[in-house]
Amino acid sequence: MKTSYLLGFAAKDRFHAASDLDFVIQFPPGLELFSPGHGTELFFAILIYLCLGTKRGYTRNHQSSETQTMKDQVKDIKYIRHDSLLAWGQTCLEKLGVQENDAHFLSESLVQTSLWGIDSHGIARLPHYLARLQAASIKPAPNIKIENAGTCIANIDGDHGLGIVVTGRATKEAIRLAKENGVGIAGIRESSHCGAIGIYGRMIANEGLIGIVFTHTDSLAAPHRGYQKFLGTNPICISVPNADGPPLCLDMATTIIPYNAVLNARRENGKIPEGVAFDKEGAPTEDPHSVASLAPVGMHKGYALSFMIDLLCGPLNGMAWGPNISNMYRDLTERRHLGSLVIAIDPQRFFGGITFPTSVAEMARAAREQTPRDPEQPVLAPGDDHYAKEKLRRKHGIPIEPGLWEQMNELSVKFGAALPENVDGTEN
């Protein structure tokens, strides 16, 4: 049986999970550690581990039972084939009445998000969607209505359907309008959580268009100078066509971390980074169980950006804003009433449209050629980190942590769905 390997050191006095380590290299199963191209990284990782561990007075005495817990958690991570994971998710959705095409699109979107390394919005969110389908706050087969309000604008009523399905339909309509008229804008109402909005931005860019996507969430973030939750994580996506590869894509929350990263840390009894969240007293916290609100990215800038996104997604589409939006996780029988805004722009209608994808590629190439401060951390273009992670995960599998795997086991029993296969082809 192939195993995964963990190498790291911690500058802290205690271990709780792999997230406590200040430096971690985790090698997925099937990766030949001493093959050409990997030996150098391993050598320097061991050197750093020994030098810094010694410098900080690290000894074997620090390796308590908590260290063993951390090792067990890493050892128990499973690496799952992406295609098998997609089929598993689709089966679960269809068992609850989701139509085949919609179930495939949703499961494919979650798996693709996991392939990009965005685990906060990937397959880990499927158990929640399934729970809401069972609670009847999300309709498995909604009557999605598209109303054109002009040559470039469409209003989409999601009828309380799965947010990924609703936003996918809206994105296709925005693309159609943009190809016909130069720009397409789709406003969405009565939707639910729509996953990672980079899915829709890239859908647009893959059609040769510029994609801009906004959505909002219930209040999770503190305003600048405050500490009680007021706005959502309210993400923004901008994606552009690239003549020399996949689209360049900015996909970011307006908080330093998304709230789903907090939930993942709670599930796995891990920690969150320092300085990204507050407890109920307004003090910074690394304990996911103590998080009362998230910090906005860029202080006043992230707060103001989130404020404007909320207006464009909520009130513009007849939906609520901030504290008036129903909580995602509290009462699963309560409908979400979420809005989004999807914009597609045809670059060919502008002076530089013919050469725009080429310019995108040239700018990305120039960025990657910039001299990095740290030779081990090269300068990237937007989206490069996602594509690099996707290449690795397609080969070595999507990591599934123990808590999520337990949920998947329970769902497989409930819906009679075979568990997805490990990346080495063995069954679970």
Side-chain angles (χ1 to χ4, degrees):
M1 172 181 281
K2 297 179 181 178
T3 59
S4 60
Y5 301 86
L6 178 81
L7 180 65
F9 75 85
K12 301 174 184 176
D13 293 330
R14 296 184 301 163
F15 293 94
H16 288 287
S19 58
D20 282 329
L21 295 171
D22 292 317
F23 174 84
V24 174
I25 295 179
Q26 185 177 330
F27 301 96
L31 186 63
E32 300 297 331
L33 297 183
F34 296 98
S35 64
H38 294 106
T40 303
E41 291 93 329
L42 183 62
F43 170 78
F44 281 111
I46 294 172
L47 185 62
I48 291 170
Y49 175 73
L50 292 175
C51 292
L52 292 182
T54 302
K55 182 178 179 181
R56 295 181 184 275
Y58 178 83
T59 69
R60 289 183 180 271
N61 293 333
H62 284 267
Q63 297 187 26
S64 64
S65 60
E66 293 174 335
T67 312
Q68 187 61 48
T69 299
M70 177 272 293
K71 290 180 179 178
D72 290 342
Q73 287 177 335
V74 173
K75 180 180 66 176
D76 290 339
I77 290 178
K78 293 184 178 291
Y79 291 85
I80 303 300
R81 286 174 41 192
H82 65 278
D83 54 346
S84 182
L85 194 57
L86 191 161
W88 174 82
Q90 180 174 341
T91 298
C92 291
L93 288 162
E94 289 182 8
K95 292 287 186 178
L96 289 178
V98 180
Q99 297 176 2
E100 181 180 356
N101 290 342
D102 291 343
H104 180 84
F105 178 73
L106 191 149
S107 186
E108 182 181 46
S109 297
L110 293 179
V111 170
Q112 180 61 69
T113 302
S114 290
L115 284 169
W116 286 329
I118 312 174
D119 294 316
S120 60
H121 286 66
I123 198 66
R125 298 282 70 78
L126 184 60
H128 173 74
Y129 298 158
L130 296 172
R132 278 197 168 270
L133 284 166
Q134 290 179 287
S137 60
I138 290 180
K139 296 181 180 180
N143 181 23
I144 299 174
K145 297 177 182 177
I146 300 177
E147 176 186 330
N148 291 109
T151 55
C152 300
I153 298 175
N155 291 315
I156 286 77
D157 187 323
D159 191 32
H160 309 290
L162 288 155
I164 290 177
V165 173
V166 173
T167 311
R169 300 269 186 93
T171 300
K172 291 178 181 178
E173 181 65 13
I175 291 171
R176 184 188 71 80
L177 291 172
K179 288 184 174 181
E180 290 183 1
N181 306 302
V183 63
I185 304 175
I188 303 170
R189 72 172 184 177
E190 302 299 6
S191 187
S192 58
H193 188 264
C194 65
I197 57 176
I199 289 287
Y200 318 109
R202 287 179 174 91
M203 281 177 62
I204 297 169
N206 281 328
E207 295 292 329
L209 306 171
I210 298 168
I212 303 173
V213 186
F214 307 108
T215 194
H216 66 164
T217 71
D218 49 298
S219 57
L220 297 163
H224 180 56
R225 299 180 177 174
Y227 66 89
Q228 295 176 329
K229 58 185 182 181
F230 178 65
L231 296 174
T233 55
N234 303 352
I236 175 175
C237 173
I238 302 175
S239 191
V240 294
N242 176 15
D244 190 27
L248 267 61
C249 184
L250 163 72
D251 177 7
M252 56 169 275
T254 48
T255 49
I256 301 175
I257 61 170
Y259 188 68
N260 287 328
V262 176
L263 297 179
N264 287 2
R266 287 177 181 173
R267 186 191 65 223
E268 305 301 330
N269 290 316
K271 284 189 175 182
I272 58 174
E274 186 177 359
V276 303
F278 307 106
D279 64 20
K280 63 181 181 179
E281 304 299 331
T285 181
E286 298 176 47
D287 179 5
H289 301 283
S290 299
V291 171
S293 66
L294 299 177
V297 64
M299 298 182 291
H300 60 287
K301 297 176 182 178
Y303 163 61
L305 181 59
S306 179
F307 197 110
M308 294 302 178
I309 291 173
D310 211 349
L311 288 170
L312 294 177
C313 295
L316 184 63
N317 293 304
M319 297 287 96
W321 54 269
N324 304 306
I325 299 173
S326 65
N327 186 280
M328 181 172 177
Y329 294 99
R330 190 169 298 149
D331 182 0
L332 299 187
T333 65
E334 186 177 6
R335 287 181 168 156
R336 300 301 313 286
H337 306 287
L338 293 180
S340 297
L341 193 68
V342 181
I343 303 170
I345 301 170
D346 184 358
Q348 299 297 323
R349 310 293 179 114
F350 294 84
F351 287 135
I354 295 177
T355 59
F356 183 70
T358 302
S359 297
V360 169
E362 291 174 352
M363 189 172 177
R365 193 177 307 116
R368 298 180 190 114
E369 292 172 354
Q370 296 299 300
T371 304
R373 289 179 295 148
D374 179 353
E376 298 298 319
Q377 299 290 325
V379 176
L380 304 177
D384 280 358
D385 53 339
H386 294 164
Y387 299 133
K389 186 64 69 69
E390 178 178 4
K391 184 177 180 180
L392 285 173
R393 290 189 171 190
R394 282 187 179 275
K395 182 178 181 181
H396 300 295
I398 294 174
I400 303 295
E401 295 181 305
L404 176 56
W405 185 250
E406 184 178 348
Q407 290 180 328
M408 293 173 63
N409 268 278
E410 293 171 356
L411 292 170
S412 292
V413 172
K414 178 180 290 187
F415 299 121
L419 278 166
E421 294 180 356
N422 295 317
V423 71
D424 60 7
T426 59
E427 296 182 354
N428 288 293

